[in-house]
């Protein structure tokens, strides 16, 4: 029953798809195709990301991570967070389990908010698309403003949320 | 595709190296990887299906007509709304944005749309809530909306 409950949103949407299929078959087929394509993309990206997260969990010591990404890690912390966020691939929801692991290992709240912000703003592979589609000025404005904004947001959120407060909700590791 | 190949290569190399160094640690790592995957799967399936439904309903020409050159603040509101609910892979965001502009959409509105597409996720909000709690999830998405709007203003002032 609990397992079924986890899938209720999916089942609800499946019902929506069924309704659409009755109303407009062509659109429904297109939805299924698009869903299949993004599912494939996701299944392609997720396993290596989760394997890396699992390995990180086993091999990186808490003290090491606190030193590099914890409270008061300063410019070094910013640079490492930025590096981690921009080289990883995939949409933002993949970043959630990674962010939780980093929090567990002692990364500061400021760096975690910055990590999520940078993840959603700058991606090295995507940068090429942005640059060729919208030019250097646009890209530079986007990156500079986005990163600055999310770093300031991180400083603000650090005052509101503690690491413990954020971790008490986590269920990525629950069985 | 290329980033996928790089990821697999890196993951495989580390995995082999880790296995060589410590078999037990590596198995524990793989077990926790599987657990993470298993736990996010229901939400991910829902997200993907929702994205499929939304994208088949919102075509580039439809979006362009909603956020055209003279759409003004209402266009910004639509951009924010569409960008916040839809969720598409980031490498599609910019080519899509270009298509929209070519179809007659205004640049600041498209900027807001692209920025919210990448940073705001109402579809993935349930997942984010389960991970960090309600308050943080709402606050982060709120901040991301604010960032996107301000970015739209900057683009409007500097580039148009």
């Amino acid at each position: 029953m609990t397992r079924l409950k986890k899938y209720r949103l999916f089942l609800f949407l499946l019902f929506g798809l069924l309704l659409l299929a009755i109303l407009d078959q062509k659109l429904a087929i297109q939805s299924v195709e698009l869903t299949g394509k993004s599912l494939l993309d996701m299944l392609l990206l997720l396993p290596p990301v989760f394997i890396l997260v699992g390995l990180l969990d086993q091999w990186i010591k808490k003290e090491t991570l606190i030193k590099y990404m914890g409270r008061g890690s300063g410019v070094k912390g910013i640079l490492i967070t930025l590096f981690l966020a921009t080289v990883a691939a995939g949409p933002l929801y993949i970043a959630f389990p990674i962010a939780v692991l980093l929090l567990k290992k002692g990364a500061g709240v400021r760096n975690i908010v910055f990590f999520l912000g940078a993840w959603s703003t700058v991606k090295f592979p995507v940068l090429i698309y942005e640059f060729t589609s919208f030019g250097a000025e646009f890209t530079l404005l986007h990156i500079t403003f986005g990163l600055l904004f999310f770093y300031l947001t991180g400083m603000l959120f650090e005052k509101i949320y503690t690491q413990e407060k954020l971790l008490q909700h986590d269920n990525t590791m629950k069985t | 595709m290329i980033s996928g190949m790089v990821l697999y290569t890196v993951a495989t190399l580390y995995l082999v190296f880790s296995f060589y160094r410590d078999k037990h640690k590596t198995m524990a790592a793989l077990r926790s990887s599987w657990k993470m995957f298993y736990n996010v799967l229901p939400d991910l399936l829902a997200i993907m299906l929702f994205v499929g439904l939304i994208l088949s309903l919102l075509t580039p020409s439809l979006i362009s007509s909603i956020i055209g050159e003279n759409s003004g603040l209402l266009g910004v509101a639509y951009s924010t709304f569409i960008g916040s609910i839809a969720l598409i892979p980031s490498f599609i965001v910019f080519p899509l944005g270009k298509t929209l502009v070519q179809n007659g959409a205004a640049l600041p509105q498209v900027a807001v749309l692209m920025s919210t597409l990448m940073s705001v996720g109402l579809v993935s909000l349930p997942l984010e809530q389960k991970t960090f709690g309600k308050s943080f999830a709402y606050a982060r998405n709120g901040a991301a909306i604010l960032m996107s709007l301000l970015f739209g203003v900057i683009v409007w002032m500097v580039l148009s």
Side-chain angles (χ1 to χ4, degrees):
Chain A
M1 204 52 211
T2 42
R3 233 169 115 186
L4 201 67
K5 211 176 147 195
K6 283 177 87 178
Y7 283 92
R8 79 186 150 191
L9 192 62
F10 177 66
L11 293 170
F12 174 74
L13 287 164
L14 214 56
F15 183 69
L17 181 68
L18 202 74
L19 275 179
L20 186 68
I22 297 167
L23 291 168
D24 189 333
Q25 223 168 1
K26 231 173 105 186
L27 266 183
I29 292 171
Q30 209 187 345
S31 306
V32 173
E33 271 173 10
L34 281 165
T35 307
K37 222 160 79 186
S38 35
L39 261 182
L40 216 66
D41 276 343
M42 179 203 85
L43 289 177
L44 222 67
L45 289 178
L46 271 186
V49 170
F50 278 147
I51 286 175
L52 286 172
V53 174
L55 288 173
L56 193 80
D57 188 19
Q58 288 294 320
W59 287 102
I60 307 268
K61 282 198 206 82
K62 201 166 178 166
E63 302 78 54
T64 320
L65 206 113
I66 290 176
K67 195 174 137 209
Y68 288 109
M69 283 179 80
R71 276 188 91 112
S73 52
V75 182
K76 191 173 55 189
I78 300 176
L79 291 177
I80 289 171
T81 309
L82 190 62
F83 176 77
L84 282 179
T86 50
V87 292
L92 190 61
Y93 49 80
I94 297 183
F96 299 154
I98 303 176
V100 164
L101 178 75
L102 294 173
L103 260 180
K104 254 184 217 154
K105 293 262 171 186
V109 173
R110 181 194 304 198
N111 280 333
I112 288 307
V113 175
F114 184 59
F115 174 75
L116 293 172
W119 183 293
S120 66
T121 313
V122 192
K123 290 250 140 288
F124 279 125
V126 178
L127 221 55
I128 302 160
Y129 290 102
E130 182 169 6
F131 192 82
T132 49
S133 304
F134 289 94
E137 210 179 347
F138 183 96
T139 311
L140 217 63
L141 272 179
H142 180 215
I143 293 173
T144 328
F145 176 67
L147 291 181
L148 198 71
F149 182 91
F150 284 118
Y151 191 72
L152 294 175
T153 312
M155 285 170 77
L156 178 71
F157 277 27
E158 195 174 55
K159 295 203 170 23
I160 308 169
Y161 304 99
T162 58
Q163 274 141 303
E164 297 77 37
K165 199 174 162 190
L166 291 183
L167 282 173
Q168 71 190 13
H169 302 278
D170 171 49
N171 71 349
T172 46
M173 282 303 192
K174 274 186 199 139
T175 37
Chain B
M1 214 40 224
I2 294 171
S3 57
M5 262 147 52
V6 172
L7 265 178
Y8 270 96
T9 316
V10 173
T12 312
L13 283 177
Y14 275 115
L15 198 60
V16 170
F17 183 65
S18 168
F19 194 79
Y20 174 73
R21 286 286 298 276
D22 189 329
K23 229 195 303 196
H24 294 288
K25 264 190 175 180
T26 310
M27 292 319 282
L30 284 176
R31 265 197 300 276
S32 72
S33 308
W34 169 251
K35 213 189 275 174
M36 275 183 271
F37 182 68
Y38 181 80
N39 280 324
V40 295
L41 193 63
D43 288 310
L44 281 184
L45 281 173
I47 291 171
M48 293 306 158
L49 185 54
F50 191 78
V51 171
L53 282 166
I54 286 288
L55 287 186
S56 66
L57 295 171
L58 294 170
T59 57
S61 54
L62 179 68
I63 300 178
S64 292
S65 69
I66 296 175
I67 57 171
E69 288 291 350
N70 300 312
S71 61
L73 278 179
L74 200 63
V76 174
Y78 282 132
S79 296
T80 312
F81 182 68
I82 298 173
S84 302
I85 47 170
L87 220 165
I88 59 175
S90 44
F91 51 87
I92 301 178
V93 169
F94 292 108
L96 172 74
K98 198 184 176 186
T99 313
L100 292 176
V101 171
Q102 281 165 349
N103 276 303
L107 188 61
Q109 276 86 328
V110 172
V112 172
L113 178 75
M114 293 190 296
S115 180
T116 45
L117 274 175
M118 293 193 293
S119 60
V120 187
L122 292 189
V123 188
S124 55
L125 198 62
L127 187 65
E128 196 169 350
Q129 273 182 40
K130 275 182 216 163
T131 316
F132 300 110
K134 211 175 197 163
S135 149
F136 181 87
Y138 280 93
R140 195 204 63 77
N141 280 284
I145 289 179
L146 183 66
M147 180 263 166
S148 305
L149 288 173
L150 290 174
F151 176 56
V153 172
I154 292 175
V155 167
W156 175 64
M157 290 200 303
V158 179
L159 295 176
S160 53

